[in-house]
Amino acid sequence: MSNDDQYGGGGGYGEVGGTGQTRTRLPDAPADPYGPTRRTPRTSRSLITVVGVVVLLIAAIAFANSAPDTRSDPASDKPPTDSSTAATGTNPVTGTSAGVPKGFAHDEQGAQSAAANFAVALGSDGMFKKNTRHTLVDGIYAPDVASRMKGPQDEAYSADFLGKLGLDANGNAPQGSTFVTRTVPIGTRVESYTPTTAKIAVWYTGLIGMSGPKSTDPVRTLWKTWTFELSWIGEGWRVTDDTQQDGPAPVPGDVPVSTSDDMSKAIKEFGGFTYAR
C-alpha cells in the first residue's frame, strides 16, 4: 500500500487567459478568518503522518484573491453543449453496508462509481475514530489488504497525531468546535479495466481543519487525484491498492472567507452524495 506523502498545495497555472499576454498578481496575505489572536496555522506536513496506506490527505492552499486581468480567447467562451453537461451512466446505488454505498455495477461505470464513493468514505471524519475506521476499511478494501492495514493505521492515528489536529484521543472535537474533513469528487477517469480488475483515478477537492472560535487550524481546501486499484471480489468492487498526487488545482477564487460559525453550520446542514458515473 502506498500513499503520496507530499501534501503541499496543488500546482497553480503559469498563465491565465488565452491572449498570450498576462499579468500575474501574487496572492495577498490571507485574512485571519477565526480572529486576530489565532496562532499561525501549522503546515499540513506537521499534521499528517502517512504510515502504509490511507492516512487522510491534507494540504494547505492559501486563501487569496487572484483574478486574471485579461480576457480569455473568445473561442473558449462558447457555452457548453447539452451533451457535455448531462449526467451519464446508471443511477446511483441505494444500498449501503457499514456506511459505504454498495451494489455498484460490474462494469466500467460501476468501477468509477465505486472509486468515487470510496474516496468520499475514506475522506470522512469516521477515519479518525478507531471503530468506524476499521468498519470503513473492512467495507472498502480486499479482506487480506484490510487485515494488514489496521495495525499501521492505528499507530498513525495516535493520540499525539489527533491532538495536533485539535482532536482528543478518541477523535472528537472540543466542545463548541466542528472538525471538518470532506472529500468531494469532481470526476473520474478509467486508467484500465477488465471484468476482474480496474484502475480508476478520482479527481477531487477536499476540506480539512477545525472550525471554532479557538481554532488554530481553520478549514482549508485542497485538490488531489486519488487513484484506486480495484478487484471484483464476491459481489462487489474492493480496493487492493491506492495512491494520491497533488492537483490539478485551479486558481483560488475571490470568494471571501466564511466565519467559523457559518462553516460549522454548513458542515452540519449540507449532507453528502452517493456518486455515480
Side-chain angles (χ1 to χ4, degrees):
M1 252 328 128
S2 61
N3 254 352
D4 184 348
D5 61 357
Q6 300 302 314
Y7 293 108
Y13 297 103
E15 182 173 293
V16 179
T19 64
Q21 296 181 351
T22 61
R23 285 193 300 166
T24 302
R25 191 179 73 192
L26 296 177
D28 300 326
D32 185 342
Y34 298 157
T37 61
R38 185 180 63 80
R39 299 195 305 272
T40 301
R42 292 183 290 272
T43 64
S44 56
R45 283 195 180 96
S46 69
L47 296 177
I48 301 301
T49 302
V50 178
V51 176
V53 284
V54 179
V55 177
L56 186 66
L57 43 96
I58 308 307
I61 296 179
F63 294 105
N65 294 324
S66 177
D69 290 330
T70 57
R71 252 185 94 74
S72 62
D73 186 341
S76 66
D77 294 336
K78 294 179 180 179
T81 63
D82 290 341
S83 61
S84 67
T85 58
T88 61
T90 57
N91 292 329
V93 297
T94 57
T96 60
S97 177
V100 180
K102 67 176 182 178
F104 300 106
H106 193 180
D107 55 24
E108 284 192 19
Q109 291 185 5
Q112 291 178 78
S113 298
N117 285 282
F118 292 162
V120 172
L122 294 171
S124 69
D125 59 358
M127 289 296 291
F128 294 82
K129 299 178 181 180
K130 183 176 181 179
N131 290 338
T132 53
R133 179 171 65 251
H134 286 189
T135 299
L136 289 171
V137 169
D138 284 335
I140 291 174
Y141 288 85
D144 59 327
V145 177
S147 64
R148 294 197 305 267
M149 290 174 59
K150 294 176 185 176
Q153 279 193 334
D154 289 346
E155 292 180 9
Y157 286 93
S158 64
D160 180 64
F161 166 72
L162 295 173
K164 291 177 180 178
L165 290 170
L167 304 171
D168 65 19
N170 295 316
N172 298 311
Q175 185 175 2
S177 296
T178 301
F179 180 56
V180 180
T181 172
R182 186 173 291 189
T183 298
V184 184
I186 304 298
T188 58
R189 181 181 66 224
V190 178
E191 301 286 349
S192 63
Y193 177 82
T194 72
T196 57
T197 63
K199 187 175 183 180
I200 309 295
V202 180
W203 178 35
Y204 72 91
T205 184
L207 303 174
I208 184 70
M210 186 72 71
S211 180
K214 298 181 180 180
S215 172
T216 61
D217 298 293
V219 181
R220 298 173 180 271
T221 58
L222 67 157
W223 291 84
K224 284 183 173 286
T225 299
W226 203 337
T227 301
F228 294 94
E229 294 186 20
L230 308 174
S231 289
W232 184 264
I233 299 175
E235 298 181 350
W237 293 107
R238 293 295 187 97
V239 177
T240 58
D241 199 2
D242 61 300
T243 57
Q244 292 195 53
Q245 64 184 45
D246 293 333
V251 176
D254 295 329
V255 180
V257 176
S258 298
T259 65
S260 65
D261 185 52
D262 287 342
M263 184 63 68
S264 297
K265 287 181 179 178
I267 291 298
K268 294 175 181 177
E269 294 173 357
F270 290 88
F273 296 97
T274 298
Y275 290 84
R277 186 69 175 93

